Amino acid sequence: MALTLSKKAMAVKPSSTLAITAAAKKLRSEGVDVVGFGAGEPDFDTPDNIKAAAIQAIQDGFTKYTPASGTEELRQAVCDKLKRFNGLSYEPDQIVISNGGKHSLTNIFEVLLNPGDEVVIPAPYWLSYPEIVKLADGVPVFVTCSKENGYKITAEELAAACTERTKAFILNSPNNPTGSVYTEEELRALAEVIIEKDIYVVSDEMYENLIYDGKKHISIGSFGEEIYKRTITCSGMAKSYSMTGWRIGYTAASKEIARLMGSVQSHQTSNPNSIAQKAALEALCGSQTTVERMQKEFDRRRMNMYNRLLEMPYLEPNLPVGAFYVFVDMSKTIGKLYKGKQIDSVETLASILINDYRVAVIPCADFGFATHIRLSYAISMEQIEKGLDRIEACLMALEPAEAEVQACAFRTESLAKAS
Ligand SMILES: *Cc1c(COP(=O)(O)O)cnc(C)c1O
């Protein structure tokens, strides 16, 4: 048999975004002033009331195993929150607390999929979805969403992507990387297709509290019994409460799915950290004023950033309605000349930005859109302004070329076809 390794593990695609992040880190460690637009987590500190609850838990000796699916009180608090905020009715035995939202998703797909089952993933997507599906022996099926529709999948597109083998569809609203939010009408149309095709929908609602323009978050599972029983709702503490390091996520599903997830988890990791569970309880049940303050500050940065990007040459930003990212179409920079050399890809432009302008952006090939970048506004207003000045300076240095190459658009197309 020789010393071979798992084909499945070797097929996992390492994140290309890491290259830029690593380059930025290296420059920073050399004392270079780099502006990083890569942040995938809020820049705020975890609220004090949440920290205090964790300290209290330690002092009270709440430091032992809890039930594998999480404490009864936290699962009850999740139910109360789902009822109050999402209009969803669940009992504690339908809830599984996991080690972060990513772990929730991992467990969900382990419980849903058999080898070869297809999962429809609208592109652009959060880069972990395809890898999580593949690790659970599933097959990701990508649907490239149109810019005209705010990079959101339509009911017709979902219906067309379904085959005999389709098991589930991943919905992510508010969306990472686009910041787009599905309207009630769009969600109802998708729900109809999900019911008709008789598939599951995994609704990743991680950014549910970060939503702007007076819009209200809507959970697809709240539209009645038929969609409710096909919905697996997943969320967590990380983005809403600035608790990325605490690692608490949760899933709400049928009793059967929750039971299977609990049993998988009982062998995998046992319970999530007991102290973090107490902190999560405080996050859900305590004062929400810091969440509201965070949301307001993100909103201010969002509009500043979007409006400035709109005025820059070549760029076509998508107006985000949720989360903390602006998704920017960079197609018009492709084929332009920089110092006499043609820009052949968004990655090339990203390396020019980091090396010559000291600004890190995330190229979105791994998010299924090779023509775009993602800019996070989970950094201070001052940093945002400095970073945008630098991006603008770089764009001003570009010159038109004779024959403009469409290599990037072509790559996005072949990514979609490769599925
Ligand atoms: C950050 C994120 C998650 C998971 O976050 P955890 O840190 O694992 O709780 C899930 N989905 C999306 C879209 C995210 O951006």
Side-chain angles (χ1 to χ4, degrees):
M1 213 28 201
L3 299 176
T4 60
L5 296 172
S6 151
K7 287 186 187 123
K8 205 153 89 175
M10 287 191 294
V12 172
K13 197 159 80 175
S15 159
S16 73
T17 61
L18 288 181
I20 294 281
T21 315
K25 248 197 197 128
K26 185 163 178 290
L27 284 169
R28 217 171 273 139
S29 74
E30 290 161 2
V32 180
D33 158 43
V34 181
V35 178
F37 282 113
E41 59 183 350
D43 53 318
F44 305 98
D45 197 4
T46 302
D48 283 338
N49 61 316
I50 297 174
K51 289 183 184 173
I55 292 165
Q56 191 63 47
I58 295 175
Q59 281 167 348
D60 292 348
F62 195 74
T63 53
K64 302 290 171 64
Y65 289 134
T66 76
S69 297
T71 61
E72 174 81 15
E73 60 176 357
L74 181 54
R75 284 183 284 138
Q76 183 61 56
V78 168
C79 291
D80 297 345
K81 179 261 170 195
L82 288 169
K83 183 91 206 152
R84 193 172 63 237
F85 185 82
N86 308 73
L88 293 167
S89 293
Y90 287 102
E91 299 290 327
D93 60 358
Q94 294 179 275
I95 308 297
V96 180
I97 314 293
S98 301
N99 299 282
K102 205 175 265 186
H103 185 217
S104 301
L105 288 161
T106 303
N107 277 349
I108 289 168
F109 288 105
E110 276 191 24
V111 160
L112 290 188
L113 302 183
N114 289 306
D117 285 352
E118 293 178 356
V119 177
V120 177
I121 305 178
Y125 45 78
W126 183 46
L127 76 178
S128 292
Y129 293 145
E131 306 312 313
I132 289 174
V133 166
K134 285 190 275 178
L135 282 170
D137 295 325
V139 179
V141 172
F142 302 111
V143 176
T144 301
C145 301
S146 75
K147 182 177 184 171
E148 292 66 39
N149 199 41
Y151 307 100
K152 294 182 277 188
I153 191 170
T154 65
E156 294 71 35
E157 286 167 337
L158 175 60
C162 288
T163 73
E164 300 275 84
R165 291 177 304 279
T166 307
K167 182 59 98 42
F169 158 58
I170 304 183
L171 175 68
N172 176 215
S173 176
N175 187 276
N176 175 7
T178 66
S180 290
V181 170
Y182 286 73
T183 65
E184 176 166 355
E185 203 184 2
E186 288 165 339
L187 290 173
R188 285 191 183 275
L190 290 171
E192 264 177 43
V193 175
I194 290 157
I195 294 165
E196 189 213 308
K197 301 285 181 187
D198 205 17
I199 58 174
Y200 291 106
V201 54
V202 175
S203 184
D204 178 348
E205 306 184 11
M206 197 55 70
Y207 294 92
E208 59 191 335
N209 283 312
L210 299 173
I211 195 158
Y212 317 105
D213 293 338
K215 297 265 185 346
K216 211 186 145 315
H217 177 70
I218 300 165
S219 291
I220 194 166
S222 68
F223 296 152
E225 195 50 39
E226 285 303 309
I227 187 68
Y228 173 83
K229 67 184 188 198
R230 291 174 176 81
T231 303
I232 297 143
T233 308
C234 163
S235 188
M237 303 297 124
K239 313 293 162 59
S240 294
Y241 296 97
S242 208
M243 289 176 69
T244 44
W246 299 72
R247 311 310 303 138
I248 296 289
Y250 59 82
T251 307
S254 68
K255 286 186 183 173
E256 183 62 1
I257 290 176
R259 190 179 65 76
L260 292 178
M261 285 180 68
S263 103
V264 167
Q265 189 161 300
S266 74
H267 292 293
Q268 238 179 11
T269 57
S270 296
N271 61 277
N273 182 302
S274 62
I275 298 149
Q277 287 192 65
K278 283 286 189 189
L281 184 68
E282 173 61 23
L284 291 175
C285 303
S287 156
Q288 303 294 307
T289 52
T290 40
V291 179
E292 287 153 22
R293 211 178 315 133
M294 229 161 56
Q295 191 268 3
K296 281 211 178 73
E297 173 60 16
F298 277 138
D299 190 15
R300 187 174 78 94
R301 297 175 189 173
R302 167 184 79 113
M303 288 319 293
N304 267 287
M305 188 151 159
Y306 175 73
N307 287 328
R308 271 210 63 193
L309 288 167
L310 260 189
E311 285 168 10
M312 290 189 197
Y314 312 122
L315 306 190
E316 292 176 10
N318 180 52
L319 175 64
V321 184
F324 41 70
Y325 310 104
V326 187
F327 193 55
V328 189
D329 187 348
M330 305 297 285
S331 306
K332 291 185 175 156
T333 63
I334 307 301
K336 297 286 176 302
L337 299 177
Y338 176 73
K339 292 186 177 165
K341 264 188 74 183
Q342 196 157 41
I343 293 174
D344 59 352
S345 70
V346 169
E347 283 80 1
T348 304
L349 186 68
S351 12
I352 294 169
L353 281 168
I354 186 83
N355 293 323
D356 291 6
Y357 292 88
R358 310 298 186 221
V359 52
V361 304
I362 301 289
C364 285
D366 280 356
F367 294 72
F369 256 68
T371 45
H372 288 53
I373 60 168
R374 188 189 77 176
L375 300 176
S376 165
Y377 46 92
I379 54 172
S380 72
M381 200 61 230
E382 185 200 353
Q383 285 287 303
I384 290 173
E385 274 165 12
K386 184 154 65 165
L388 291 178
D389 288 344
R390 293 177 183 187
I391 291 176
E392 190 165 33
C394 175
L395 295 172
M396 300 307 256
L398 301 186
E399 291 166 320
E402 289 290 298
E404 301 217 334
V405 188
Q406 291 301 315
C408 244
F410 177 74
R411 271 183 63 203
T412 292
E413 227 164 73
S414 27
L415 271 175
K417 279 196 191 117
S419 72

